[in-house]
């Protein structure tokens, strides 16, 4: 039995979703294509729109769905963190060594192969103070030059580590990637709500993460997004002007995959540099964050309008505080 076949028993994939049926459908389709033979579970946060419910029904015979209990989550991501706790417990109780967390606004761009098996195992062996490995492409506007100021290769050359693991901010945790199930349970027990809260706990314990130099997942460009399961009029307005919608990324060809694995160490894995998205509103900056990120990425009069609105809101807040 090959190492890849064994890994199919050791690693499970969990896809988190809420009310983005078209994006979820595409995410699941690329997961089936690129993670063939792996156990995949859908963790849907009680989506209530008909399109997403239809997608869930169609995929039910292919991928099991974990039962989610409605819970209050943090402002930005809604019930994501309680659902991550659910998935982590499921992985632990099911005997999986690794759990790969991805979301409906992300997609696989190439198959998980034997080289990934070696990379994952070596990373967790070499880095005993790590609980997770990021496997998604670096997002702009943190482009390649800025990325080199933030990241540097480890001794294997296959993984990037932050130059400083203890800067302020969300430097020690990310709500995605491949988690070592046992270590995560030991260090966190359960996920806190928000990347900052988890990062603070891990920072105190000397726990850090790395990022694969050969990622296999990308955030979708300019997605429709939510803030705590809500889409305010202002949020919708920004996404309308920013071109939010369904912008699928082309799967890498076999030749592109080989070139990607054989590229030079100076070529950091920024999504826009290696992947193709014909409909991305801004080809050089895919603005995967949604919301106001999109209108800023479009630049020009749109970005100016956003600045004017932001200044106006600040002035109103000052007046109300007086």
């Amino acid at each position: 039995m090959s190492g890849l076949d064994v890994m199919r028993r050791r690693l499970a994939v969990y896809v988190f979703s809420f009310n983005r049926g078209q994006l979820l459908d595409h995410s699941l389709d690329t997961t089936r294509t690129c993670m063939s033979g792996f156990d995949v579970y859908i963790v849907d946060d009680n989506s209530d729109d008909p399109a997403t419910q239809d997608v869930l029904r169609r995929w039910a015979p292919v991928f099991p769905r974990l039962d989610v209990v409605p819970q209050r989550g943090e402002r930005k991501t809604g019930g994501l963190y309680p659902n991550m706790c659910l998935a982590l417990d499921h992985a632990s109780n099911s005997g999986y060594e690794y759990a790969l967390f991805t979301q409906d606004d992300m997609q696989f761009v190439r198959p998980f192969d034997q080289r990934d098996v070696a990379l994952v195992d070596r990373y967790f062996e070499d880095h005993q103070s790590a609980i997770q490995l990021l496997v998604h492409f670096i997002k702009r506007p943190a482009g390649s030059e800025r990325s080199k100021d933030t990241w540097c290769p480890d001794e294997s050359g296959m993984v990037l580590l932050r130059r400083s693991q203890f800067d302020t901010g969300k430097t020690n945790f990310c709500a995605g990637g491949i988690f070592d199930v046992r270590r995560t349970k030991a260090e966190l027990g359960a996920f806190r709500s928000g990347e900052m809260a988890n990062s603070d706990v891990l920072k105190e314990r000397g726990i850090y993460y790395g990022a694969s130099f050969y990622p296999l997942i990308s955030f979708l460009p300019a997605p429709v997004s939510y803030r705590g399961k809500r889409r305010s009029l202002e949020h919708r307005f920004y996404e309308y002007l920013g071109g939010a919608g369904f912008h699928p990324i082309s799967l890498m060809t076999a030749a592109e995959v080989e070139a990607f694995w054989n590229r030079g160490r100076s070529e950091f894995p920024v999504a826009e540099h290696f992947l193709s998205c014909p409909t991305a509103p801004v080809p050089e900056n895919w603005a995967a964050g949604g919301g106001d990120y999109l209108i800023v990425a479009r630049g020009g009069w749109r970005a100016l309008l956003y600045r004017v609105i932001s200044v106006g809101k600040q002035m109103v807040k000052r007046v109300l505080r007086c």
Side-chain angles (χ1 to χ4, degrees):
M1 184 176 292
S2 71
L4 182 58
D5 290 331
V6 174
M7 182 60 84
R8 289 187 172 107
R9 299 181 178 182
R10 299 167 60 202
L11 182 150
V13 181
Y14 296 85
V15 183
F16 298 88
S17 78
F18 176 72
N19 272 4
R20 295 189 286 193
Q22 191 174 31
L23 273 63
L24 174 62
D25 191 40
H26 179 67
S27 180
L28 294 174
D29 188 49
T30 64
T31 302
R32 177 172 59 180
T33 298
C34 297
M35 298 298 290
S36 176
F38 285 85
D39 292 338
V40 178
Y41 301 91
I42 301 171
V43 191
D44 180 73
D45 198 15
N46 297 292
S47 292
D48 54 14
D49 75 296
T52 304
Q53 291 176 347
D54 179 63
V55 170
L56 292 169
R57 280 192 294 269
R58 287 192 287 105
W59 281 96
V62 183
F63 298 142
R65 180 179 168 188
L66 300 189
D67 292 328
V68 170
V69 177
Q71 298 185 54
R72 180 183 296 275
E74 52 113 22
R75 185 189 66 81
K76 182 175 180 181
T77 59
L80 175 61
Y81 288 94
N83 294 341
M84 286 173 59
C85 291
L86 173 69
L88 183 66
D89 287 341
H90 179 272
S92 179
N93 295 334
S94 301
Y96 294 113
E97 184 176 351
Y98 301 125
L100 194 167
F101 288 0
T102 184
Q103 300 177 25
D104 52 9
D105 62 349
M106 304 168 75
Q107 69 160 90
F108 285 87
V109 297
R110 65 169 182 83
F112 187 102
D113 65 24
Q114 183 63 43
R115 291 168 291 194
D116 294 293
V117 174
L119 188 156
V120 170
D121 279 338
R122 178 166 180 177
Y123 167 74
F124 283 108
E125 176 64 28
D126 288 350
H127 300 279
Q128 295 292 316
S129 294
I131 66 169
Q132 69 179 130
L133 172 68
L134 307 190
V135 290
H136 53 260
F137 281 76
I138 295 173
K139 295 189 294 184
R140 291 180 66 92
S144 57
E145 293 307 315
R146 180 176 166 187
S147 298
K148 292 171 185 176
D149 293 334
T150 305
W151 301 90
C152 61
D154 71 351
E155 291 185 3
S156 73
M158 297 188 296
V159 170
L160 299 170
L161 301 178
R162 285 187 177 274
R163 293 186 180 276
S164 174
Q165 299 294 340
F166 302 101
D167 290 337
T168 58
K170 302 174 289 186
T171 57
N172 294 65
F173 178 84
C174 181
I178 297 177
F179 287 87
D180 181 299
V181 174
R182 180 188 59 81
R183 292 185 195 175
T184 306
K185 293 288 288 184
E187 296 297 339
L188 282 174
F191 296 107
R192 281 64 171 171
S193 288
E195 289 184 330
M196 185 74 79
N198 288 286
S199 183
D200 287 344
V201 172
L202 296 174
K203 191 179 300 182
E204 291 179 359
R205 301 179 184 179
I207 305 299
Y208 58 88
Y209 67 73
S212 172
F213 194 69
Y214 307 97
L216 59 151
I217 294 174
S218 177
F219 289 88
L220 288 174
V224 171
S225 63
Y226 287 82
R227 295 295 181 265
K229 294 189 177 182
R230 292 183 173 84
R231 286 173 50 76
S232 67
L233 289 176
E234 181 183 2
H235 188 85
R236 292 170 185 265
F237 175 66
Y238 290 152
E239 291 198 337
Y240 170 75
L241 290 183
F246 176 50
H247 302 288
I249 298 169
S250 303
L251 295 183
M252 300 175 77
T253 66
E256 288 171 337
V257 171
E258 291 307 309
F260 187 60
W261 276 99
N262 293 316
R263 76 190 193 279
R265 289 288 185 267
S266 63
E267 300 180 75
F268 275 39
V270 177
E272 291 88 338
H273 295 177
F274 295 96
L275 305 176
S276 172
C277 181
T279 64
V282 185
E284 67 276 11
N285 183 356
W286 289 353
D292 51 4
Y293 293 96
L294 306 188
I295 193 171
V296 172
R298 292 297 292 270
W301 65 268
R302 293 176 176 84
L304 178 60
L305 176 62
Y306 171 72
R307 287 193 290 271
V308 170
I309 294 174
S310 298
V311 170
K313 288 171 62 178
Q314 292 173 5
M315 293 176 64
V316 170
K317 288 180 181 178
R318 291 196 190 99
V319 170
L320 293 177
R321 285 197 297 263
C322 295

